[in-house]
Amino acid sequence: MPCILNIETATEVCSVVVSDNDNVIFQKEELKGPSHAVLLGSFVDEAVRHLRSKKIKLDAVAVSCGPGSYTGLRIGVSEAKGLCFGMGIPLIAINTLHIMTSGVLNNNNTNEASVFCPMIDARRMEVYDVLLDSNLKELCPVSADIINEDSFTDILDKNKVLFFGNGAGKCRDILKHSNAIFLENIYPHAKDMIKLANKDYSEKRFVDTAYFEPFYLKEFVATIPKNKVLHSQNK
């Protein structure tokens, strides 16, 4: 199996894991974010020093490519690209929602559900989500959805659906269907990228390092701080 450095920065979690032959040989993680710009570089530096001390060659870099935080994704992908260019190794991009679901499956947190719906908080009642089966096959495409009481009704009428992620909490009081099951405290972690990254590596599913961009799903919209708005109104 290859030695792969995995980077996850799509949400408030910043994590780096190096895997070799399916085993974790280095791991650094901070759950309290958002401080990825400060932490990620030092995590990666530690990982590279560790590999050099053990005389282990890095074969590829895998990065969580979104959807998720615009800033977090840019930081993670930029760091991954820099490593790949500098070391002359391939880049693997893995969907963040698939990473979250892989983590749930790896920890047997299925609660007998047959459909999995990872959710990443977007804003207000909007989430980034996808419906997956236990093989991570997409039952519907990744989308940005505004959740209401009628959301997912068709599939909930036929299946138990497991909702999780930092976008699922705000949907608990809206999705009242008896087949809706919610898991708490599920975030994407670099360790949950290992199986997915190894599979992509074995199938040579690499992205173009020069031209690859994160999967933002929506265009970034800059906001004006409230104090600036008030200041301009008072002029």
Side-chain angles (χ1 to χ4, degrees):
M1 285 291 181
C3 179
I4 299 177
L5 190 150
N6 302 274
I7 295 173
E8 216 309 313
T9 57
T11 65
E12 53 265 54
V13 175
C14 178
S15 60
V16 171
V17 163
V18 179
S19 60
D20 187 26
N21 195 29
D22 280 336
N23 298 314
V24 173
I25 61 174
F26 177 90
Q27 181 172 2
K28 292 285 287 190
E29 186 167 78
E30 173 59 59
L31 305 179
K32 298 178 182 178
S35 51
H36 303 345
V38 176
L39 294 175
L40 183 59
S42 64
F43 287 178
V44 169
D45 284 345
E46 286 186 56
V48 172
R49 288 200 302 271
H50 177 77
L51 290 172
R52 287 173 178 166
S53 71
K54 302 294 184 181
K55 296 183 179 179
I56 299 173
K57 177 181 176 294
L58 194 63
D59 295 303
V61 176
V63 65
S64 175
C65 65
S69 159
Y70 181 92
T71 302
L73 291 172
R74 286 204 71 82
I75 291 169
V77 169
S78 294
E79 184 74 26
K81 283 186 170 187
L83 285 169
C84 290
F85 275 126
M87 297 183 177
I89 55 179
L91 176 63
I92 298 167
I94 303 178
N95 185 289
T96 307
L97 297 170
H98 288 214
I99 294 168
M100 294 166 63
T101 307
S102 179
V104 168
L105 292 168
N106 290 342
N107 292 298
N108 296 314
N109 289 329
T110 58
N111 288 333
E112 300 181 352
S114 58
V115 177
F116 301 84
C117 185
M119 291 179 161
I120 293 176
D121 193 5
R123 58 178 180 175
R124 299 184 180 91
M125 287 313 299
E126 190 172 25
V127 296
Y128 303 131
D129 61 27
V130 68
L131 293 175
L132 302 166
D133 67 13
S134 59
N135 294 313
L136 300 185
K137 178 182 177 182
E138 292 190 359
L139 306 176
C140 73
V142 178
S143 59
D145 292 324
I146 297 174
I147 304 301
N148 58 48
E149 61 272 12
D150 296 321
S151 299
F152 308 106
T153 300
D154 290 347
I155 197 158
L156 282 167
D157 284 342
K158 301 174 184 177
N159 305 272
K160 290 186 180 296
V161 180
L162 193 59
F163 297 93
F164 50 92
N166 65 2
K170 65 184 183 182
C171 302
R172 182 190 290 271
D173 293 334
I174 297 174
L175 300 175
K176 293 293 190 178
H177 199 287
S178 59
N179 278 339
I181 305 167
F182 288 84
L183 283 182
E184 301 286 347
N185 301 316
I186 302 296
Y187 297 90
H189 299 276
K191 69 181 186 300
D192 296 320
M193 299 171 63
I194 294 173
K195 289 182 179 180
L196 303 177
N198 283 343
K199 185 174 187 294
D200 283 354
Y201 186 89
S202 67
E203 296 174 359
K204 300 188 183 301
R205 293 175 58 186
F206 307 130
V207 296
D208 189 311
T209 304
Y211 295 102
F212 177 73
E213 291 291 332
F215 178 37
Y216 295 122
L217 194 57
K218 295 197 309 179
E219 291 295 326
F220 175 69
V221 178
T223 58
I224 302 173
K226 289 182 178 179
N227 60 339
K228 289 189 178 181
V229 174
L230 292 173
H231 180 71
S232 63
Q233 289 176 345
N234 291 331
K235 283 186 176 180

